[in-house]
Amino acid sequence: MVTLRLEGLDGIPATVRWVAGDEAGLSFDWPLYAPLRDHIVALRGTVSAEEKPA
């Protein structure tokens, strides 16, 4: 369990599903609404509903 903290927002609870090098896949406790998802993508990269292949 982790909490994603972005400046100016409340913490977003999630579970780490995979780790590969410096990347990690998170499963959020509830669906991200589109503006929040877009904000995360703008900060760091891709947000996907799929898990990273093994």
Side-chain angles (χ1 to χ4, degrees):
M1 302 281 308
V2 297
T3 301
L4 178 62
R5 297 191 188 282
L6 303 172
E7 187 175 334
L9 299 174
D10 291 335
I12 305 166
T15 302
V16 176
R17 294 294 182 193
W18 57 263
V19 176
D22 65 350
E23 297 182 352
L26 301 177
S27 175
F28 295 97
D29 289 2
W30 53 79
L32 299 178
Y33 68 103
L36 177 56
R37 183 196 64 231
D38 294 346
H39 180 68
I40 293 170
V41 169
L43 290 174
R44 184 59 181 130
T46 304
V47 172
S48 173
E50 300 176 19
E51 288 188 28
K52 188 175 181 111

